[in-house]
Amino acid sequence: MARQKGIIKLKGTIGDITFYKTKDGHLAREKGGIDASRIKSDPAFQRTRENGAEFGRAGKAGKILRTALRSLLINSADSKMVSRLTQSMIKVIQADMISIRGLRNVIDGEAELLSGFEFNIRGKLGTSLFAPFVGAIDRVTGSITVDIASFAPGNMIAAPSGTTHYKVISAGAEIDFEAETFVEAHSETAILPWDAVPTVAISHTNMVTPASVKPLFLALGLEFYQEVNGQMYALKNGAYNPLALVAVSGL
């Protein structure tokens, strides 16, 4: 892969060179590779087929998780989050000690490996929220909760420049990765001032199916705002809003 330089940027194929545009700029690469039909049938590519199957499974698993948390992710994700999440899902699948290679999956893997995943690398929860919180997943009742004791936001929230207000957001999700379905509930505080005045205690309860046997997830995040002439505006279109998985129960 080579980067195109010069005034005129090309798209398409000339000879054996393909020119194309990506988020990283205008690139060029040489055509080639192994015939797809050979990869599908040749015994020499058995491992390639197995890796491809598991990569595809990881991509689908990441997509259903993203869809379940879409109401929060709309304002809290970086441009490379999808690929980062897929890589994390691959690690979950590779932790499956039951299924044979190529058939390993999220259900038999270690979904708990996703705990701590940051959806926005530009604004991490771990470097934004310093107030102690308690996240809990109760499978029996289907209650997915987060509790934050009273804190002074100006001291315990590292907000980007221009912030005047913020909001605490959370979500609980029950994911059926095989059926590609989910149950989701989310909560949020009012838009609160980012100042030195201690908040009241914050308590969110997000209900999913009681006695579920599916993986359960708790996401926690912040949204930053700027007040201008009495109106609230999302700070820099949410570019630095943190959101992370703070608790996971894979069963």
Side-chain angles (χ1 to χ4, degrees):
M1 180 178 64
R3 189 176 301 275
Q4 296 187 51
K5 293 185 177 180
I7 298 175
I8 300 175
K9 306 301 183 184
L10 302 176
K11 283 187 178 182
T13 301
I14 301 177
D16 291 330
I17 306 297
T18 298
F19 302 89
Y20 59 103
K21 182 180 179 181
T22 72
K23 292 181 180 179
D24 297 319
H26 292 264
L27 306 177
R29 65 185 177 194
E30 185 177 4
K31 290 176 62 179
I34 301 168
D35 186 77
S37 61
R38 184 183 173 194
I39 293 177
K40 291 179 181 179
S41 58
D42 192 329
F45 291 95
Q46 177 65 25
R47 291 291 176 264
T48 301
R49 291 193 292 273
E50 293 168 352
N51 291 339
E54 293 184 353
F55 182 83
R57 202 168 292 121
K60 287 183 178 180
K63 181 179 180 181
I64 188 63
L65 178 58
R66 298 195 313 271
T67 302
L69 298 177
R70 179 173 173 76
S71 61
L72 276 62
L73 283 174
I74 288 176
N75 300 316
S76 306
D78 65 75
S79 61
K80 295 187 177 180
M81 179 271 291
V82 173
S83 60
R84 292 192 299 105
L85 182 57
T86 299
Q87 290 300 316
S88 294
M89 282 294 185
I90 289 174
K91 293 179 181 179
V92 171
I93 288 173
Q94 290 175 338
D96 177 356
M97 298 290 105
I98 299 174
S99 308
I100 64 173
R101 185 183 173 114
L103 296 178
R104 292 179 295 185
N105 58 82
V106 175
I107 299 299
D108 296 317
E110 294 291 337
E112 288 83 358
L113 293 173
L114 295 171
S115 183
F117 181 83
E118 297 274 2
F119 289 97
N120 189 358
I121 210 72
R122 296 170 300 184
K124 296 181 179 180
L125 185 68
T127 56
S128 299
L129 179 63
F130 296 94
F133 63 85
V134 177
I137 296 175
D138 188 331
R139 283 192 171 275
V140 176
T141 63
S143 176
I144 300 178
T145 61
V146 61
D147 293 288
I148 309 176
S150 175
F151 66 95
N155 296 330
M156 303 306 283
I157 293 179
S161 176
T163 297
T164 62
H165 290 73
Y166 71 98
K167 178 192 293 184
V168 178
I169 58 176
S170 71
E174 170 195 355
I175 311 289
D176 187 332
F177 289 104
E178 294 177 330
E180 298 184 26
T181 59
F182 62 87
V183 176
E184 182 270 353
H186 54 271
S187 306
E188 61 182 36
T189 64
I191 296 178
L192 305 170
W194 184 61
D195 55 21
V197 179
T199 67
V200 298
I202 296 171
S203 181
H204 288 179
T205 299
N206 303 298
M207 299 298 299
V208 295
T209 307
S212 172
V213 294
K214 305 300 180 183
L216 303 178
F217 300 85
L218 170 61
L220 177 65
L222 298 169
E223 292 184 356
F224 297 115
Y225 297 86
Q226 185 176 74
E227 183 178 13
V228 179
N229 296 329
Q231 297 294 317
M232 294 295 175
Y233 298 89
L235 187 69
K236 298 179 181 178
N237 294 321
Y240 299 103
N241 291 342
L243 181 70
L245 294 176
V246 297
V248 179
S249 175
L251 195 58

